Amino acid sequence: MEAAEDWLVESLRLYQDFHAFDLSGATRVLEWIEDKGVFVAGYESLKKNEILHLVLPLRLSVKENQGLFPERDFKVCHGGFSDRSVFDLKHVPDTRLLVTSGLPGCYLQVWQVAEDSDVIKAVSTIAVHEKEASLWPRVAIFSSVAPGVLHGVRLSGLKVVDLASQKTTYTSGVSDSEELSSLQVLGADTFAFCCTSGRLGLVDTRQKWAPSENVSPSAGSRGGRWCAEVGGRGIASLCSDGQLCLLDPRDLCHPVSSVQCPVSTPSPDPELLRVTWAPGLDNCLAISGFDATVQVHDVMCWAGTEGQVEPLFTHRGHILLDGNAPDAAPLVTTHTWHPRKPRTLLSAASDASLHVWDWVDPRASR
């Protein structure tokens, strides 16, 4: 309890703004709709899971702090129930449609957010022909006049399906059985994939399957599982043992840098690994999925560095706010950066806690 009280006092210095909420169940999904709301969804097996559209408190929706606001909690704007676990959810831009993936993974579910009520209802499914009991399809959305759903469990099953007609518009056409960990649409005709082995690729759907890729995992990975995200500074690739590599998209075979993040143990659930680039800060990224913390790193501090690096900031609220002992602390299940507020993040944990925090750059006070 003393550590929690000390942290609460210290948080006045560490955070420009901080909000803590309790969801009805833990979520692996934090999907933005514009910059004033997020979707969350439960992932428990053998039960109905809520899908909720939450509107941020007004204080978090304005550009600058403008005094006190009466609304300090999330407001449930829409909701629905899924008969299966929801491991991923994507909002289709410029529509009221959502696409979810989870277990069992034999189909994707398409949902519609009602205009005239508070209901999120299932409207259709997209068949997944890769029938694997323990694996679920990764998903990304091509946003255009005719949106497309990119999905796949393995490279061999990777395809793009037109959302309206459900016709397949692109397939990998390969027999490669590498398991996918993440998919990311980069442009109207391009996307990136990351395999659990660390294999990365950039694909142009206007051509037959001929990705620019690094076939071999990075050195020193010791068989860990990987995820990746493309951002302004290149590709950040994170391993379950804490190794983090930066790659230039023009040369995926030779990392620009490779460092070790300070994690006490490998990720207990590599499915929850997450690395994200800050949309409003050129050099910063965040990682989670190892414990109850979220680490923020400035990659410009890594120049010429090999070995372990220290984070610029570490969010420890999921450990200390509820007085959890370190060995009983929850696991951060996901995090995301605010689209407009440069240093504001949302993070969720396995105890159903949801935090919104605007961190203070410690270098500003030096």
Side-chain angles (χ1 to χ4, degrees):
M1 184 61 69
E2 185 176 331
E5 292 174 350
D6 290 344
W7 181 83
L8 284 172
V9 173
E10 183 73 356
S11 69
L12 298 175
R13 180 183 64 83
L14 296 175
Y15 299 95
Q16 184 72 28
D17 213 343
F18 181 88
H19 301 257
F21 309 94
D22 291 318
L23 300 172
S24 58
T27 182
R28 289 169 56 161
V29 171
L30 287 173
E31 173 75 356
W32 286 101
I33 177 167
E34 298 176 338
D35 61 355
K36 296 180 180 178
V38 293
F39 291 100
V40 299
Y43 60 88
E44 292 189 50
S45 59
L46 304 176
K47 64 167 286 186
K48 286 184 177 291
N49 286 286
E50 279 190 298
I51 300 176
L52 299 176
H53 171 205
L54 305 177
V55 176
L56 271 66
L58 185 59
R59 178 182 175 86
L60 297 172
S61 301
V62 298
K63 292 184 178 179
E64 298 177 359
N65 291 336
Q66 299 177 0
L68 297 175
F69 293 92
E71 294 288 341
R72 295 191 56 82
D73 209 341
F74 277 101
K75 176 184 176 182
V76 178
C77 191
H78 297 87
F81 288 94
S82 172
D83 290 328
R84 60 181 187 156
S85 53
V86 178
F87 291 161
D88 199 3
L89 179 154
K90 301 295 183 187
H91 171 238
V92 182
D94 303 318
T95 75
R96 303 184 71 84
L97 298 177
L98 312 172
V99 179
T100 61
S101 180
L103 288 175
C106 52
Y107 62 90
L108 306 177
Q109 186 82 58
V110 182
W111 305 79
Q112 186 171 48
V113 181
E115 286 191 82
D116 55 358
S117 72
D118 59 1
V119 175
I120 299 174
K121 62 179 180 180
V123 291
S124 65
T125 60
I126 298 173
V128 174
H129 299 294
E130 302 165 278
K131 304 292 193 297
E132 302 201 41
S134 62
L135 301 179
W136 54 277
R138 271 42 181 179
V139 182
I141 304 295
F142 280 97
S143 58
S144 64
V145 176
V149 181
L150 170 67
H151 68 87
V153 175
R154 301 180 184 274
L155 284 178
S156 56
L158 198 53
K159 64 177 61 177
V160 179
V161 175
D162 180 86
L163 186 57
S165 68
Q166 296 213 4
K167 291 182 178 179
T168 299
T169 59
Y170 182 83
T171 64
S172 66
V174 295
S175 58
D176 200 315
S177 62
E178 284 248 32
E179 181 186 342
L180 292 163
S181 65
S182 57
L183 295 170
Q184 182 182 354
V185 168
L186 305 178
D189 306 291
T190 56
F191 69 87
F193 68 80
C194 178
C195 296
T196 57
S197 65
R199 180 177 172 183
L200 294 166
L202 303 176
V203 180
D204 189 331
T205 60
R206 293 166 296 186
Q207 305 170 358
K208 292 188 69 173
W209 181 262
S212 168
E213 61 180 317
N214 72 328
V215 176
S216 301
S218 300
S221 61
R222 297 182 291 277
R225 290 171 61 97
W226 293 79
C227 68
E229 181 169 285
V230 182
R233 282 280 171 183
I235 303 174
S237 182
L238 176 66
C239 183
S240 55
D241 65 4
Q243 185 181 355
L244 182 56
C245 299
L246 295 185
L247 301 103
D248 187 325
R250 297 166 296 184
D251 181 9
L252 296 180
C253 294
H254 302 93
V256 175
S257 59
S258 179
V259 298
Q260 178 66 37
C261 297
V263 297
S264 56
T265 60
S267 171
D269 185 353
E271 286 273 352
L272 302 179
L273 278 181
R274 189 150 169 79
V275 57
T276 59
W277 288 100
L281 300 171
D282 288 341
N283 307 315
C284 287
L285 55 76
I287 66 168
S288 65
F290 296 93
D291 50 27
T293 69
V294 181
Q295 296 180 16
V296 177
H297 290 264
D298 183 347
V299 301
M300 292 301 289
C301 298
W302 300 350
T305 301
E306 292 185 2
Q308 183 161 308
V309 294
E310 292 302 317
L312 178 62
F313 186 89
T314 302
H315 176 59
R316 305 182 190 278
H318 292 286
I319 306 174
L320 297 167
L321 193 60
D322 295 323
N324 290 302
D327 58 350
L331 181 63
V332 169
T333 52
T334 188
H335 73 265
T336 184
W337 294 83
H338 193 288
R340 300 283 183 269
K341 291 176 171 268
R343 289 188 174 83
T344 297
L345 292 95
L346 278 67
S347 57
S350 56
D351 61 354
S353 60
L354 174 61
H355 291 179
V356 187
W357 40 285
D358 187 329
W359 56 282
V360 174
D361 189 334
R363 298 170 297 189
S365 58
R366 292 175 186 170

